[in-house]
Amino acid sequence: MVRRLLQAIVVLLLVTMITYALLRMIPGNVAVAVMGPTAYRNPLAIAQFDRVYGFNKPWYYQYWLWLDHLLHGNLGYSWKLNQSVASLLSNHLPKTVFLVGISIILALIVAIPIGILQAVRRNKIVDHFFNGFSTIFYAMPAFLLGILLILVFAIKFPILPPEGPQGEGVAVLFTNFNALVLPIVSLTLITIALFSRYMRSSVLDNLTEDYVRTAKAKGASERRVLFRHVLRNSLIPIATLLGLLLPAVFAGALITESVFNYPGMGYLFFQSALNQDYPVLLGITVVVAVATVVGSLLADIAYAVLDPRVRYVSQ
């Protein structure tokens, strides 16, 4: 674990360095993007902006300055929103965690039993039905599903609001929870399609293993074999997916948040990219990079917990 943590630090540094360099390669002038097109008429204002934010220095010096601030807990200040990046993240991150987290939990509750049922009833009507369901939603673009839900449940039958909860703070999520229904349903349906397909394949693979035949030969019932032996080993691919989805919990569902105008991390990142708001982009990148490394570590730990045969040793 210590070795992996040290590797994670190196990965985080490389991610921030590459992201910082790529952001600096975006065409256009940051001062103009922040102050507006009329800034071209005032070269002195542009020079002052570059001097204040260090844009008159080499990019590696700018990166070192930003990294030094980061190590002291300072993520920077948004040029467009006139707020610190930390305050923006503290406002948008809980909303994204709530939205994506609820969607993943609901997807797991539904998808795991569906995957098991499909494997047990392979090539039966139930299996074909859920295969069609998962294929449709797995292949459907997120923006299309969101628009269809809005057309049906917000316009054709005005039951639910067409956009997510608006306002500052997390309390608005609970006071206006009905506005969260469509975004959650949109993300949940796509995630169910993903999890159920993996779960079905994993259960089918484990049903053909020798330990299953041995358990049956010893007189164990089908239910006992399925839930005491097969289920645990079949959850390993799901653990991998959960580790890979952890960054999404922090990064947000950019497309879904944009469709439903939901003020989460994905929508914030999108708006910051349009405005060339580098401090916000870098702050979100750091959060997502940390979540990616932590997700990978948790997936490795889950392997060892679910399958005692898995052991991580120094090579």
Side-chain angles (χ1 to χ4, degrees):
M1 291 297 295
V2 173
R3 186 182 71 252
R4 288 176 179 270
L5 288 174
L6 294 175
Q7 293 173 350
I9 295 174
V10 176
V11 169
L12 291 175
L13 286 174
L14 290 175
V15 167
T16 57
M17 186 180 299
I18 293 172
T19 305
Y20 199 92
L22 290 175
L23 288 175
R24 289 296 181 266
M25 294 170 62
I26 296 176
N29 188 291
V30 178
V32 175
V34 173
M35 296 186 291
T38 57
Y40 276 121
R41 303 173 186 172
N42 193 348
L44 291 178
I46 295 178
Q48 176 67 16
F49 181 93
D50 291 342
R51 185 164 51 255
V52 170
Y53 291 101
F55 286 106
N56 58 337
K57 304 289 185 181
W59 75 268
Y60 51 84
Y61 178 83
Q62 299 174 34
Y63 171 74
W64 174 253
L65 186 63
W66 174 82
L67 187 62
D68 179 64
H69 290 164
L70 177 65
L71 293 176
H72 288 85
N74 181 11
L75 290 173
Y77 197 83
S78 172
W79 300 324
K80 278 290 186 179
L81 301 176
N82 292 323
Q83 286 182 256
S84 67
V85 176
S87 66
L88 287 171
L89 295 184
S90 65
N91 184 37
H92 290 76
L93 182 57
K95 296 179 181 179
T96 285
V97 171
F98 188 85
L99 172 65
V100 183
I102 291 293
S103 301
I104 291 177
I105 292 173
L106 291 176
L108 285 173
I109 294 173
V110 176
I112 291 176
I114 287 178
I116 296 173
L117 180 62
Q118 285 185 261
V120 174
R121 297 285 187 266
R122 183 182 182 184
N123 294 328
K124 301 293 179 62
I125 295 177
V126 174
D127 185 28
H128 292 315
F129 172 78
F130 284 114
N131 261 337
F133 168 86
S134 63
T135 301
I136 291 173
F137 287 104
Y138 187 72
M140 183 177 294
F143 73 89
L144 178 59
L145 178 57
I147 291 174
L148 289 176
L149 290 174
I150 292 174
L151 288 174
V152 175
F153 296 103
I155 297 177
K156 183 69 175 179
F157 304 101
I159 303 173
L160 298 167
E163 64 177 6
Q166 304 298 310
E168 299 291 330
V170 184
V172 69
L173 301 179
F174 301 96
T175 57
N176 194 17
F177 187 80
N178 61 332
L180 268 175
V181 174
L182 290 184
I184 288 177
V185 170
S186 177
L187 286 176
T188 302
L189 289 175
I190 295 174
T191 312
I192 287 174
L194 175 67
F195 283 162
S196 63
R197 292 172 70 88
Y198 274 91
M199 192 66 190
R200 177 183 181 274
S201 299
S202 183
V203 172
L204 286 175
D205 290 340
N206 281 277
L207 285 175
T208 61
E209 294 291 335
D210 292 337
Y211 73 86
V212 173
R213 289 192 292 270
T214 301
K216 290 181 178 179
K218 290 182 178 180
S221 65
E222 293 282 347
R223 182 182 296 272
R224 181 180 178 83
V225 171
L226 184 62
F227 291 103
R228 287 292 301 273
H229 302 285
V230 174
L231 177 59
R232 180 172 179 173
N233 291 331
S234 300
L235 288 174
I236 293 178
I238 302 299
T240 306
L241 287 176
L242 287 176
L244 296 176
L245 283 175
L246 184 61
V249 175
F250 291 89
L254 189 150
I255 296 176
T256 301
E257 291 180 7
S258 299
V259 170
F260 291 99
N261 195 30
Y262 184 80
M265 291 282 281
Y267 189 70
L268 174 64
F269 189 88
F270 175 69
Q271 294 296 325
S272 301
L274 291 179
N275 295 324
Q276 291 185 295
D277 201 344
Y278 294 156
V280 179
L281 294 175
L282 286 168
I284 296 176
T285 300
V286 170
V287 171
V288 176
V290 171
T292 302
V293 171
V294 172
S296 178
L297 289 174
L298 291 178
D300 289 343
I301 295 172
Y303 282 164
V305 172
L306 293 172
D307 190 350
R309 295 172 298 178
V310 176
R311 290 292 181 266
Y312 298 104
V313 296
S314 300
Q315 298 295 332

